[in-house]
Amino acid sequence: MGKLQRGAHIVWDWNGTLLHDIHAVIEATNASFAEIGLESITLERYRELYCVPVPKFYERLMGRLPTEAEWQVMDAVFHKHYWARADGCGLADGAAELLAGRRAAGRTQSLLSLAPHEHLVPIVRRHGIEEHFVRIDGRTDASHAGKAERMVRHLDALGEVAAVERTVVIGDAVDDALAAAHVGARAVLYTGGSHSRGSLAEAGVPVVDSLAEAVEVAEQLAA
């Protein structure tokens, strides 16, 4: 079976990509900032400053890296506020239809997220899209490093399903492009999440404004 028939294997990101949660993220960020004594932030400024690993984002805000003790508090407070709001978030426009359509056409796709695995799987299941993925991996450790090494493990677990030459990562963060490059895959970045278009453009990969366009570009990259 040739590449054109098999199409791209897409590794989807979750937060800010398939899940349209950026407004919940901003609300949770500002609620947590209020608790820890930081000034509130606008969506525009968040998208300009946000980065992975997340402690570097706080360094950009504070002018210094948080201590380990400060980071533990910041992380816990943010997640308390975020998970209180996460169930109110819907999927990105057209996401469910895209996933179902690709699966029906015999295309493969998987999900790799930095969200804790024990939270990720139930929320994916609640949105009724779990069956469209051949594998779902969330974060299973305390590390907040980016996706690069996790991508290695994710593709290793998928084996021949995700041959690197036809694997395309779709996400909303520069870290998604870095993870793709780390394993020799391609990437398409989507503007609906955590980064501004300008920030995403610095990654040197295609930047799109809809998931439908992201899938279209992914198929072109893998052809």
Side-chain angles (χ1 to χ4, degrees):
M1 189 180 293
K3 289 181 190 173
L4 286 174
Q5 291 171 288
R6 297 178 70 185
H9 173 81
I10 292 178
V11 179
W12 290 97
D13 171 59
W14 179 243
N15 300 101
T17 303
L18 289 174
L19 185 70
H20 184 61
D21 66 348
I22 187 61
H23 296 293
V25 167
I26 296 301
E27 289 176 11
T29 296
N30 283 328
S32 65
F33 280 9
E35 282 196 38
I36 62 180
L38 292 176
E39 291 185 12
S40 63
I41 191 169
T42 63
L43 172 60
E44 291 71 27
R45 182 162 167 76
Y46 181 93
R47 282 178 161 160
E48 288 298 330
L49 296 180
Y50 183 76
C51 61
V52 175
V54 182
K56 296 288 289 182
F57 167 60
Y58 283 91
E59 181 181 30
R60 292 177 175 186
L61 287 166
M62 299 164 61
R64 63 174 178 83
L65 272 173
T67 66
E68 182 61 28
E70 287 174 327
W71 166 243
Q72 294 295 333
V73 171
M74 290 168 170
D75 189 47
V77 171
F78 169 78
H79 280 98
K80 175 186 71 175
H81 289 291
Y82 174 78
W83 289 108
R85 294 164 170 79
D87 281 344
C89 298
L91 297 177
D93 286 346
E97 294 79 9
L98 277 171
L99 294 170
R102 293 194 84 253
R103 177 167 169 254
R107 303 293 198 243
T108 58
Q109 51 208 342
S110 56
L111 180 59
L112 177 63
S113 174
L114 296 178
H117 190 76
E118 70 272 18
H119 289 300
L120 177 66
V121 173
I123 196 169
V124 170
R125 191 171 290 150
R126 284 199 296 276
H127 283 284
I129 57 174
E130 181 184 20
E131 64 186 0
H132 302 319
F133 303 106
V134 293
R135 185 175 180 87
I136 298 174
D137 283 321
R139 179 167 56 84
T140 57
D141 56 32
S143 169
H144 281 76
K147 279 186 179 172
E149 293 306 319
R150 302 176 202 275
M151 187 68 70
V152 173
R153 296 193 294 270
H154 185 71
L155 295 190
D156 282 350
L158 287 167
E160 292 183 3
V161 170
V164 71
E165 67 271 11
R166 63 181 189 87
T167 293
V168 182
V169 178
I170 297 179
D172 70 315
V174 172
D175 185 59
D176 293 300
L178 295 175
H182 184 70
V183 297
R186 309 292 187 87
V188 181
L189 298 180
Y190 164 61
T191 60
S194 60
H195 282 38
S196 67
R197 174 175 275 278
S199 299
L200 294 177
E202 294 175 9
V205 302
V207 177
V208 300
D209 297 316
S210 73
L211 296 187
E213 187 182 357
V215 169
E216 184 178 333
V217 173
E219 294 292 359
Q220 293 168 0
L221 291 174

